[in-house]
Amino acid sequence: MESATSAGINVGASAQISLVGQADLTSGTASVNTVYAVRTPVKARELFGSGSPLADNCVDALTEGAYPVYAVAAEGTEVVDEDVGSETGTLTNTPVSEDADEVTFEVDGSAQETVVVFSDPSSVSLDAGQTAYNPVTGDYAHDVAPTSGNATYSHYDYTSAISTVEEERSEVIDFIGVLSEGVADEAHDATLRMEQSGYFAVAVAGAATHIPDPSAYDNPHDSSRIQLLYPSRNTEGQSIIGAYLGLRAALGINNSPMFKRLSTQNALSETLAKDEQESLILKKVVPVANDSRGARIVEDLTCVADDNMDEDAMRQVLHRLIVDYVTEITNEVSEKFIGELHTQAARNALRSSIVSRLGGLMDMNAITAFVVTVQPVDAMTASVDVGVDTIDPLRNINATVTAGAVA
């Protein structure tokens, strides 16, 4: 079995990423639910339409260091004249198009001006004749309480697009990134199914479009197979998941993204105070700090809860990737011995082969120690047990600067 962490160097990046999102297929040439290996910004715009969320995120990912980006356009479906006769409410189908031109509202027979927001639409100050909607949650708010109203909009099927990635690129990808915060569950479920088949990946998504009080946020996940970021959008409302995964692709298992900056993102939708960042860390969400020199990744957490002892050693995505890589090495080497005679010499050779591969990880400093045992179980079965100590990222540096004479 091969994944990017073990075989990605020959294609230009240390880890392989996939992105699922909304494309503009009226100007793009791509087909929905089809995986494309995107290697240039020109190709991203040609396939997914210049300025679309998926095209822009592919470009950001390539700029940050991904190569290639495996991208899938989700299929859009139009809903005509859905009843939206109350002043506030929620559209039936989500996620809704992030392009305001694909979403129209009528109130009492008159067309409204459509406003895209990524917070609660009912909290937004609207001018006369405006309707605001959140494309992730589907919530909307009119400027007045109407007698009647209808909406025509496009919504996107992320579930099928994620399944396409799972079915066609499970053996390659290390990350599934989704550009809508509302489909994190679907991406996580895909990684769990992949794990059952012996393929390993981590889902990455935004925690929410807006979290009013980080200390009150309730993380719905308890798993090392998913990572949530916040904020996950820039001031223009564009997802930063592509940029983040581009950075991860360049780092692989050789480094942590902790305190690294995104060169393509320097103005996020929100600026988190220090206490808000600390609250998010306690909730197992990765805070992203707003910085004019580039958005800074504050942590590298998975969503493993404090009381989850089964995954205690994989609270960092870096640890999750290293353990996955060791598992792949062990399985790959072991498979080559299937059919050999069940002798002590064969078991010793199997152990030596695994030790040799793990020694390479020691040289890379990905692991700090390991133990390998190979034992007979019965006449046709042997057990391989591998234990590793993963490297921890340098998280804190205490610096003291003293003025004056120093002995």
Side-chain angles (χ1 to χ4, degrees):
M1 293 180 292
E2 293 182 341
S3 80
T5 46
S6 59
I9 294 174
N10 61 5
V11 293
S14 295
Q16 294 299 297
I17 69 168
S18 63
L19 294 176
V20 177
Q22 174 186 335
D24 176 9
L25 300 185
T26 58
S27 59
T29 61
S31 298
V32 298
N33 297 332
T34 303
V35 181
Y36 293 90
V38 182
R39 292 178 171 83
T40 66
V42 171
K43 193 65 176 178
R45 298 183 181 105
E46 175 189 317
L47 286 168
F48 305 121
S50 181
S52 72
L54 186 55
D56 286 348
N57 272 264
C58 285
V59 172
D60 289 345
L62 292 167
T63 303
E64 296 286 351
Y67 187 87
V69 177
Y70 294 98
V72 179
E75 183 175 11
T77 301
E78 187 179 42
V79 175
V80 179
D81 291 343
E82 181 176 311
D83 181 20
V84 290
S86 57
E87 185 174 0
T88 62
T90 303
L91 297 173
T92 303
N93 303 280
T94 57
V96 182
S97 173
E98 296 182 14
D99 183 354
D101 292 338
E102 293 186 355
V103 182
T104 60
F105 292 90
E106 285 189 2
V107 168
D108 297 331
S110 298
Q112 296 279 97
E113 178 187 353
T114 304
V115 180
V116 180
V117 299
F118 290 95
S119 56
D120 180 0
S122 64
S123 67
V124 177
S125 178
L126 295 173
D127 295 333
Q130 288 186 329
T131 294
Y133 79 101
N134 184 319
V136 174
T137 63
D139 294 339
Y140 68 86
H142 302 306
D143 63 313
V144 294
T147 303
S148 64
N150 59 70
T152 296
Y153 62 94
S154 293
H155 64 94
Y156 287 85
D157 178 9
Y158 272 74
T159 301
S160 296
I162 292 168
S163 295
T164 300
V165 174
E166 177 188 350
E167 293 166 5
E168 298 186 15
R169 288 294 184 270
S170 287
E171 78 284 1
V172 174
I173 60 167
D174 298 294
F175 293 95
I176 300 177
V178 288
L179 307 186
S180 176
E181 292 81 353
V183 294
D185 286 351
E186 287 82 345
H188 179 228
D189 290 344
T191 63
L192 295 178
R193 290 191 298 268
M194 289 166 59
E195 183 179 33
Q196 294 300 311
S197 301
Y199 301 116
F200 307 117
V202 176
V204 177
T209 56
H210 178 62
I211 301 177
D213 181 5
S215 65
Y217 175 76
D218 183 20
N219 191 333
H221 300 283
D222 178 9
S223 170
S224 65
R225 290 284 172 205
I226 184 168
Q227 181 177 60
L228 299 178
L229 274 61
Y230 187 79
S232 55
R233 293 182 180 266
N234 58 27
T235 52
E236 296 178 354
Q238 178 185 347
S239 173
I240 67 167
I241 297 299
Y244 172 72
L245 286 182
L247 173 64
R248 290 225 72 124
L251 296 175
I253 61 172
N254 300 317
N255 211 328
S256 168
M258 193 183 301
F259 266 56
K260 304 279 189 307
R261 286 184 167 84
L262 302 177
S263 63
T264 58
Q265 305 293 332
N266 57 11
L268 300 182
S269 59
E270 296 184 43
T271 299
L272 298 172
K274 184 177 180 180
D275 63 320
E276 292 176 320
Q277 294 180 24
E278 293 170 349
S279 293
L280 288 170
I281 290 172
L282 290 174
K283 303 294 184 177
K284 313 307 176 188
V285 173
V286 175
V288 186
N290 213 356
D291 196 315
S292 60
R293 293 177 294 169
R296 179 165 46 83
I297 311 304
V298 177
E299 252 289 1
D300 188 31
L301 296 169
T302 62
C303 291
V304 175
D306 289 335
D307 59 355
N308 183 350
M309 295 299 104
D310 290 339
E311 296 187 288
D312 182 63
M314 290 168 287
R315 298 185 182 277
Q316 298 265 319
V317 173
L318 178 64
H319 295 157
R320 175 75 269 179
L321 293 178
I322 293 171
V323 172
D324 287 346
Y325 186 22
V326 171
T327 304
E328 289 177 351
I329 286 174
T330 304
N331 290 337
E332 178 187 343
V333 173
S334 298
E335 284 179 353
K336 296 177 181 178
F337 282 81
I338 300 296
E340 296 287 335
L341 296 179
H342 194 351
T343 63
Q344 183 64 51
R347 294 193 295 272
N348 290 344
L350 171 57
R351 182 183 182 280
S352 295
S353 296
I354 296 173
V355 167
S356 176
R357 295 289 296 274
L358 295 182
L361 287 183
M362 287 278 288
D363 294 338
M364 293 169 54
N365 294 319
I367 59 177
T368 57
F370 66 86
V371 60
V372 180
T373 60
V374 181
Q375 299 290 336
V377 176
D378 57 40
M380 299 182 68
T381 307
S383 67
V384 177
D385 295 300
V386 178
V388 296
D389 284 337
T390 56
I391 191 73
D392 288 319
L394 181 60
R395 183 176 183 179
N396 302 305
I397 298 176
N398 297 322
T400 301
V401 179
T402 303
V406 179

